[in-house]
Amino acid sequence: MRAINLPTDLLRAFVSVIDLGGYTRAATALGRTQPAISLQMKRLEELLDARLLTHEGRELKLTEEGEALAIYARQLLRLNDEAVAKLKGRAARGQLRVGLPTDFSVAFLQEAISDFAGAHARVTMSITCDLSRKVLDLLHADELDIAIALLARDKNPYLVRSWEERPIWAVGREVSLGRQAPVPLVTHPEGCEYRRRMTAALTAGGRDWRIAYTTPEIGGLQRAVSAGLGVSALTRKTLVPDMRVLAAREGFPAMEPIRIGLFYKHPRLSGAGLMLVDSLIGRMDQAAEPAPAKAAAAR
């Protein structure tokens, strides 16, 4: 099969249409006419022999093929635009609004952003921490430039990259838990994916539970667990020395993995934003849990 090259101008038009919500807005942003954008979309579909966009009433929807292409397109455009900026010697400047989830290793992400800010004095950073769904709502409303958040169980618009985390059960190092009493849970407020996974795993395992402590901040959650107020779901990066991990043999079954994603609207993102995205991807890739080793083939 002959190689097919996807022109970046077609990909840019495609991403602009879906991120800005229509052909007219994309045309305005790219300095083109609406018919020109329509022709570019038609050309892209012809190259891939796939339908990428559909209309449901006045709403533009991605097909399954369109959703798959959107992730690749954002990555290809990011690399293209970063290469141009680097070779042209463009310095990062301006303001960046970043959203982080309270229910992930916020300290780790804040460190990565702090390092970037220290290396780019002309970039002003504004950080918002909240539940993932609220962070994504702010991104959708154009109140954030970049968001890191837990993936939803259905659609994930503006997703660029994702990583998998395996939640672990954590309790204070000196705490002992009886098998008969309901498990005291230390958790974020309702709506947190870690909270949902804890309650689902315990219920499926036939163990009673109760909410013992609720806090919207990861620091408060860590302190509550360390103080012996209850059990919580954390990641390896948010486990602190005075905690221990609870195992299945103690009545704490494995929880469903969590996927965390990096989101942004490419047409809205500045050169500084693209540089921060590259830095965050590099840091997240380094910290990602290694994939399970494949079993050796039978001889």
Side-chain angles (χ1 to χ4, degrees):
M1 184 180 74
R2 67 180 182 85
I4 297 175
N5 296 315
L6 297 176
T8 53
D9 61 330
L10 301 187
L11 295 177
R12 195 176 303 279
F14 172 63
V15 169
S16 296
V17 167
I18 59 179
D19 282 5
L20 300 180
Y23 289 82
T24 301
R25 291 176 182 173
T28 300
L30 297 174
R32 307 292 299 275
T33 64
Q34 183 176 335
I37 298 296
S38 297
L39 286 173
Q40 287 182 306
M41 291 301 92
K42 182 179 179 181
R43 174 59 179 152
L44 186 58
E45 290 181 331
E46 289 173 347
L47 279 173
L48 295 171
D49 192 22
R51 186 75 180 274
L52 303 174
L53 298 163
T54 62
H55 284 87
E56 293 184 9
R58 293 187 176 183
E59 191 174 0
L60 198 62
K61 293 282 190 179
L62 285 169
T63 64
E64 184 176 344
E65 291 83 359
E67 289 179 0
L69 177 63
I71 296 176
Y72 290 115
R74 289 191 180 93
Q75 294 185 58
L76 290 168
L77 290 173
R78 175 179 60 83
L79 292 172
N80 176 87
D81 294 350
E82 283 178 4
V84 171
K86 187 173 183 64
L87 292 173
K88 286 185 171 290
R90 297 174 183 169
R93 64 182 67 194
Q95 182 181 20
L96 286 177
R97 304 162 301 169
V98 183
L100 302 178
T102 55
D103 42 8
F104 189 63
S105 49
V106 174
F108 163 74
L109 295 171
Q110 287 176 341
E111 178 184 338
I113 293 170
S114 178
D115 289 347
F116 177 86
H120 302 282
R122 295 185 180 184
V123 178
T124 302
M125 307 292 295
S126 175
I127 312 298
T128 298
C129 293
D130 211 325
L131 292 177
S132 289
R133 56 184 173 80
K134 293 184 179 180
V135 167
L136 291 176
D137 285 345
L138 291 173
L139 177 71
H140 293 179
D142 289 330
E143 295 180 32
L144 290 175
D145 302 304
I146 299 169
I148 293 179
L150 303 186
L151 270 63
R153 292 186 292 277
D154 44 13
K155 303 293 185 181
N156 291 282
Y158 317 121
L159 175 65
V160 181
R161 286 284 296 276
S162 65
W163 299 264
E164 185 171 286
E165 287 284 338
R166 172 70 69 173
I168 54 175
W169 293 102
V171 70
R173 187 167 292 280
E174 304 302 323
V175 174
S176 60
L177 298 165
R179 286 272 190 164
Q180 303 306 316
V183 178
L185 296 180
V186 176
T187 180
H188 291 306
E190 186 68 45
C192 168
E193 284 294 314
Y194 280 72
R195 175 172 172 153
R196 187 184 70 80
R197 280 161 173 74
M198 282 193 290
T199 57
L202 290 173
T203 299
R207 292 203 66 173
D208 293 333
W209 53 269
R210 65 182 178 86
I211 302 298
Y213 189 93
T214 302
T215 174
E217 298 182 354
I218 184 67
L221 188 148
Q222 290 169 317
R223 289 189 292 272
V225 172
S226 297
L229 296 182
V231 174
S232 192
L234 296 173
T235 66
R236 293 286 176 183
K237 291 183 282 296
T238 50
L239 197 69
V240 296
D242 53 2
M243 297 178 189
R244 65 184 177 91
V245 177
L246 293 163
R249 64 178 180 275
E250 299 174 83
F252 290 88
M255 287 175 278
E256 179 188 350
I258 281 178
R259 294 199 69 81
I260 187 165
L262 174 67
F263 302 80
Y264 62 82
K265 298 180 182 180
H266 191 90
R268 302 285 197 205
L269 203 58
S270 65
L274 289 170
M275 292 177 69
L276 175 57
V277 163
D278 186 60
S279 177
L280 289 173
I281 287 176
R283 192 70 67 95
M284 292 286 286
D285 283 347
Q286 290 173 13
E289 295 181 359
K294 294 182 179 179
R299 293 182 180 274

